[in-house]
Structures are given as C-alpha cells and as structure tokens.
Amino acid sequence: MGGADLAIQTEALKKKYGDKEALAGLDLQVPRGVVHGLLGPNGAGKTTAVRILSTLLKHDEGTARVAGYDIASQAARVRYSIGLLGQHAAVDEDLSGRQNLVMFGRLYHIGKRKAQQRADELLERFGLTEAAGKPVKQYSGGMRRRLDLAASLILAPSVLFLDEPTTGLDPRGRNDVWESVRGLIAEGRTVLLTTQYLEEADQLADMISLIDNGRVVETGTPDQLKNKIGGDRIDIVLRRPHDVPRAARLMGTLLRSEPETDSDNRRVSAVVEDRVAALTTVARELDEAGIEAEDIALRRPSLDEVFLHLTGNGTVTSAEPSLKETAQP
C-alpha cells in the first residue's frame, strides 16, 4: 500500500521516559477511511503513540506521517488535519454546550460567525440541540462525551484520534458514542481508536493492531486475529463438577483436539472444525455416557482471548503518562 493511500504511517518510532522505553520501534500503517484499533496492555505504548501522532509529544527516533504530513517538519499542518478526543473531558463544565463549541472555534481562529454556525451544525448532528443552552455540568456522561467528540470536529478533520472514548460510560452512553463514530466513518474519515473495552474494538474497528512493549505484535481484522488462536469452539457447562474430567476425555477423543477445562465453573471447551456435526455428536455422546450438560454452545474466540494470548496477562507497569491534553491550534 502506497503512502498516498495511508492516513497514518509510522516507521521505527521510538520514545523513552527516563530509562523506560514506551515505544520501541513502532511500525503502523492505517489506510484512509477506516477505524483502526490500537489495543494492548496498560503501558504498552498506546497513549504515547497518540500523543506523538497528534504532535503533543516529540519522538526520539523514527518517522511518522499523519494525513500526508510529517509530524516533525509539518506539525502545524498535522494539527489542522486532525481531531483529538482524549481520555479526559476537554470541555468547560460551567459553559453551555454551544458556548464550548463556539470557544473552540474561536481558538482555531475561524471567526465568530463561522464558529457559531459550526457549533450549531455539530450540536444538531450529535443530538445536543435541546441541551445546547444548558451548562455542561448538567449533561449526562454520554452527552459530555458526544460534546467532546463534537469539539474535536470543529475543523472537519480527516483524521480523528479517539483515546479511550467511552471510559466510565454506562452501556447507553457507550452505544451513543459508537453510533457517532460510525457516522464519522460513513463520511470517509479515518479514526485511530485506543480502548480497554475489547467489545468496543470488535464493534467498531475494521483493522486492529495489537501493541505490546512499544511494538506492534499483530495486525489484522477482528476475525483474522480470532483465527490466530483457533476457529470455532464448543463450550459445555456440566451439571456435576466431578464429570469435568470424563467430559474432557470424551471430547478430546471425539474432536481430536485438547480440551480446556474450568473445574470451578464446570466448563469444558474445545476447538471444532465442523460446527453442526460436532455439536450433534458431542451432545449425543455425552447423553449416552450419562454426563448431564446444563448448557452447550458454539462460539467464536473473543478478542479478550486474543488479547491475553498475544500480549500475556495484560498487567504491566506503565511508563506512560495519561493523555490529559488536547491538540492545540
């Protein structure tokens, strides 16, 4: 894929905090017009990557281009081509929603009248028109994040960085933000998404890069990553705990794969090739062996399993500061 087709491109990007290496040669390619998820354990380098790509932080080595511009030599052009939604709210809680957006517009020097017009457009787009005159402190969590997202779009950027966009939101608020992101993609924007919610990446991302110890360890679509740890699985929850070893032996013989067992939850799980045939055969053989099952289900591997398989236990000491700043014009 050529550089002209890429919204974000990094080569051997490095950054240290003291003697700790947050980025250890990050190579990343994000095509235009997609949601690209950046996942990894705490301290893996996700937030540092976003800070560098949004020109909030200088890198030590390597190169990167965003929206076609070099982040070092063309930083101002990068800033006017991106939007940034950080982990923490950037809006003023004492101002109204409309006042916040107008203020952001004025900070970007787009003129008072145009800032007011842009604010009204964004309030309508994100379903905030009725609450436009209320102080932000009266907004729900989901409304605040939608206002944050609106603020990041003042300049109609082609590339948007979303760093943990739904942290702390309830399911309704999270779904509201997801719908807003889907709308952005329908318009052809590129989104780089970091998130701790694996379901969020599964729902939104076209491609995912797993990052660990400051490097990309795997990239692919959600389905491609799931296939890395095996295909479909059959899960069985047994009625009696002492049947777990017997069920595991039986399934291992029938399916010719090594089952995984969870005695505490009376669960046996194994990889299958022919979904329907495996389900029918296992159910019949368990019944004939007198092994009672409370539940039998077929499922795909989850991104949680991929995450743990490819990045270890996901609990490392962070070398990164949190992303509290927003991009400045």
Side-chain angles (χ1 to χ4, degrees):
M1 182 178 296
D5 300 318
L6 297 174
I8 300 170
Q9 183 178 20
T10 74
E11 294 182 5
L13 206 61
K14 293 185 178 182
K15 179 64 181 178
K16 281 187 175 181
Y17 294 108
D19 60 350
K20 292 186 177 180
E21 203 167 35
L23 294 183
L26 184 73
D27 295 314
L28 184 66
Q29 293 189 338
V30 179
R32 297 180 186 274
V34 303
V35 178
H36 194 106
L38 197 61
L39 307 183
N42 292 332
K46 305 184 300 296
T47 292
T48 294
V50 170
R51 287 171 60 88
I52 289 173
L53 292 172
S54 57
T55 75
L56 289 173
L57 181 69
K58 290 185 178 180
H59 57 292
D60 298 328
E61 297 180 34
T63 62
R65 300 182 72 85
V66 176
Y69 301 113
D70 185 273
I71 62 169
S73 62
Q74 298 173 296
R77 287 183 175 269
V78 170
R79 292 180 191 131
Y80 275 95
S81 301
I82 66 172
L84 172 62
L85 178 64
Q87 297 174 15
H88 304 275
V91 294
D92 188 315
E93 293 197 345
D94 291 323
L95 297 180
S96 70
R98 189 171 189 272
Q99 288 172 328
N100 266 283
L101 295 184
V102 171
M103 177 185 68
F104 275 97
R106 298 304 301 277
L107 288 172
Y108 278 106
H109 308 294
I110 65 174
K112 183 177 180 180
R113 181 175 297 179
K114 188 174 180 181
Q116 292 172 340
Q117 179 183 358
R118 185 63 177 152
D120 290 339
E121 291 172 357
L122 290 168
L123 288 165
E124 181 177 359
R125 173 178 179 172
F126 287 97
L128 295 170
T129 300
E130 292 186 6
K134 295 180 180 178
V136 173
K137 59 188 174 185
Q138 296 180 13
Y139 284 20
S140 67
M143 291 170 66
R144 292 186 191 193
R145 289 310 266 170
R146 279 185 281 148
L147 184 64
D148 262 330
L149 188 53
S152 72
L153 296 173
I154 290 291
L155 292 182
S158 61
V159 179
L160 187 62
F161 295 100
L162 303 183
D163 193 38
E164 310 285 352
T166 60
T167 297
L169 295 185
D170 60 25
R172 182 182 297 276
R174 192 173 304 156
N175 284 330
D176 287 344
V177 173
W178 289 358
E179 286 305 310
S180 297
V181 173
R182 292 186 181 106
L184 297 175
I185 295 305
E187 296 175 355
R189 287 188 171 85
T190 303
V191 174
L192 184 68
L193 168 73
T194 74
T195 179
Q196 294 291 345
Y197 298 113
L198 280 299
E199 180 192 3
E200 184 162 82
D202 212 353
Q203 285 279 338
L204 296 177
D206 301 292
M207 297 288 291
I208 293 172
S209 290
L210 287 172
I211 181 173
D212 197 17
N213 295 317
R215 293 186 179 91
V216 172
V217 296
E218 198 70 61
T219 295
T221 67
D223 282 344
Q224 288 171 340
L225 293 179
K226 292 172 186 177
N227 288 336
K228 291 283 183 180
I229 60 171
D232 297 320
R233 305 185 70 88
I234 184 169
D235 277 353
I236 298 175
V237 178
L238 301 166
R239 190 173 301 279
R240 298 184 296 266
H242 66 264
D243 280 334
V244 169
R246 292 178 58 208
R249 288 194 297 271
L250 187 149
M251 289 173 64
T253 301
L254 292 174
L255 303 176
R256 297 180 182 179
S257 66
E258 186 66 27
E260 297 176 2
T261 61
D262 180 352
S263 298
D264 291 338
N265 293 303
R266 311 186 310 281
R267 185 185 302 274
V268 182
S269 177
V271 175
V272 298
E273 294 182 1
D274 189 329
R275 292 165 53 91
V276 176
L279 182 64
T280 303
T281 300
V282 169
R284 182 182 64 247
E285 294 295 327
L286 287 174
D287 183 61
E288 291 181 359
I291 300 173
E292 296 184 62
E294 285 187 350
D295 185 48
I296 301 180
L298 287 167
R299 66 174 180 85
R300 301 288 323 272
S302 67
L303 277 181
D304 297 71
E305 291 169 315
V306 176
F307 182 91
L308 293 173
H309 179 75
L310 295 176
T311 65
N313 63 18
T315 55
V316 298
T317 301
S318 175
E320 301 181 279
S322 61
L323 178 56
K324 294 184 179 179
E325 300 91 339
T326 57
Q328 297 297 315

